Amino acid sequence: MFKTFVNAWKIRDIRTKILFTLLLILLYRIGCYIPIPGVNVTSVAQSLEQYVAIGGFMNMFTGGAFANYAIFAMGISPYITGSIIMQLLTIAIPPLERLSKEEDGKQKIEKITRYVGVGLAAVQSITIILALGEDAVYDTGWLSYLTIGLTATAGTALLMWMGEKITEKGIGNGISFLIFASIAANVLPAATNIVSTVVTGSIHWLAIPIIVLVVLLLIVGIVCVDNAERRVPVNYAKRVKGRRQYGGASTHIPLKANANGVMPLIFAMTILNVPTIIIELAGDGWFATFWENTFATGRPAYYVLYALLIVGFAYFYSTISFNPVEIAKNIKENGGTILGIRPGWDTANYLKKIVSRLTLFGAIFLALVAVLPSIVFSFFDIGDLTAISMFGPTSVLILISVALETSRQLETQMMARHYKALL
């Protein structure tokens, strides 16, 4: 990976894209420390100490901007939520499904997704600042809340624009890169926090070697599974049109072992955080007692529920992201066949069976990645798990996945440039 980056840096065009990407990331990180006018940052930080679930979840995806309630406090999460909503609506609503198959339909759906993301950011920013109480703002008038909501919403809209520009003129996927930068920004403070807690005795000194070992095993496992794929061979028949001959080649359909990436894990983590957030905002009660006694972090039922949610969301996301009927139809129309499988429905069922098995493997892998580190930390009684949350499976999985994807895109751009020079 480092060799790829060094070789890419030597090429002027790619170096310009890398510098453009780094410039936008730098502007993003600067914006994470510019507080929104009218917000009492000190009071917000004190309030978030009571709302651990809200603060921890939001800070992980905003690079600490939520704790400062900066202009990028809402991060890119509203846009991601909007994208998920639009994907679900595209399947549920036939007009949207037809629109997605039109020539310019994807651009129209992307435009609608932006509006949904901006709307969610506006609702989320005003709701959170109201939930934090009157001490979180200097002025409790409606104009003050409106200003805070508009500023936070504008910050999310600006991040959406940055993500699109990184995708268009930079390297890698812009949205993924912004999430990568947010998580990477918390790695060094988290490491410093772990060392300080070890020195003060809050957690055992065995925490450091155990965390290093677990992170290394996570990296090795994630890299191996991310690069693994099932190749389905496809043969295309020869076709003659005029004096030219088409087809007659053999290729394959690459099906990744974990095509869903980190999305099922993020979905499951979000769902599990919802009851905790409700309890923190609503206070003690019968539901809080039931949840703490049954599904609190560290209890067996918590890990079982977490694993089941990951498996369920993996199959759900695979259903909306992979359409075997459409792929089988395209193969048949282009004169292709899978060896030993009839074209049409038999091909679709064959692909569906393979994808189902790969989804099960990827879901079990994600469940093990999500659950085993926490069980190991609890078994060795390391102590304060909040201090090591930044080295959890979700953070490591996102960092490694985005790094590998960016490395592949750099290699593709270098290869395309070499071919262009050869021609």
Side-chain angles (χ1 to χ4, degrees), residues 125-306:
S125 60
I126 296 177
T127 303
I128 290 177
I129 197 64
L130 288 173
L132 291 177
E134 296 182 354
D135 294 336
V137 295
Y138 292 109
D139 184 7
T140 57
W142 66 269
L143 184 60
S144 175
Y145 286 110
L146 180 63
T147 303
I148 294 171
L150 289 176
T151 305
T153 304
T156 298
L158 181 58
L159 285 182
M160 291 162 50
W161 178 84
M162 286 183 176
E164 293 177 359
K165 289 302 177 182
I166 291 175
T167 304
E168 180 183 350
K169 299 182 179 180
I171 57 171
N173 181 280
I175 302 300
S176 299
F177 221 95
L178 290 174
I179 298 175
F180 175 89
S182 300
I183 297 176
N186 289 323
V187 170
L188 185 58
T192 306
N193 187 24
I194 291 174
V195 174
S196 63
T197 50
V198 169
V199 173
T200 57
S202 299
I203 62 176
H204 201 273
W205 65 270
L206 283 174
I208 294 180
I210 292 174
I211 291 171
V212 172
L213 179 61
V214 170
V215 170
L216 289 177
L217 291 176
L218 284 175
I219 292 174
V220 173
I222 291 168
V223 172
C224 292
V225 173
D226 191 81
N227 291 327
E229 63 182 18
R230 168 75 182 273
R231 297 183 178 182
V232 181
V234 180
N235 299 321
Y236 288 93
K238 294 182 180 179
R239 293 178 298 168
V240 178
K241 290 185 178 180
R243 296 183 178 180
R244 293 189 177 185
Q245 178 177 297
Y246 300 90
S250 297
T251 181
H252 64 271
I253 303 175
L255 300 176
K256 299 191 67 175
N258 184 29
N260 296 321
V262 73
M263 294 307 297
L265 203 152
I266 294 177
F267 287 171
M269 183 177 61
T270 303
I271 294 298
L272 278 180
N273 272 326
V274 168
T276 307
I277 293 173
I278 294 175
I279 290 171
E280 289 181 349
L281 295 177
D284 295 333
W286 69 267
F287 179 74
T289 305
F290 166 76
W291 187 264
E292 289 295 329
N293 294 333
T294 309
F295 296 108
T297 304
R299 296 188 179 276
Y302 169 84
Y303 296 119
V304 173
L305 180 60
Y306 197 6

Side-chain angles (χ1 to χ4, degrees), residues 304-346:
V304 173
L305 180 60
Y306 197 6
L308 291 176
L309 285 174
I310 290 174
V311 174
F313 278 120
Y315 275 98
F316 170 75
Y317 198 74
S318 177
T319 302
I320 66 175
S321 62
F322 184 83
N323 189 349
V325 176
E326 191 71 24
I327 295 177
K329 181 181 177 181
N330 293 334
I331 293 175
K332 183 178 180 180
E333 290 177 349
N334 289 280
T337 57
I338 298 176
L339 186 63
I341 307 297
R342 291 182 178 181
W345 283 107
D346 288 345

Side-chain angles (χ1 to χ4, degrees), residues 38-66:
V39 175
N40 188 344
V41 179
T42 304
S43 178
V44 169
Q46 293 175 353
S47 299
L48 290 179
E49 292 179 359
Q50 303 174 0
Y51 305 125
V52 179
I54 300 176
F57 183 75
M58 292 294 294
N59 273 324
M60 185 177 71
F61 288 102
T62 61
F66 183 72

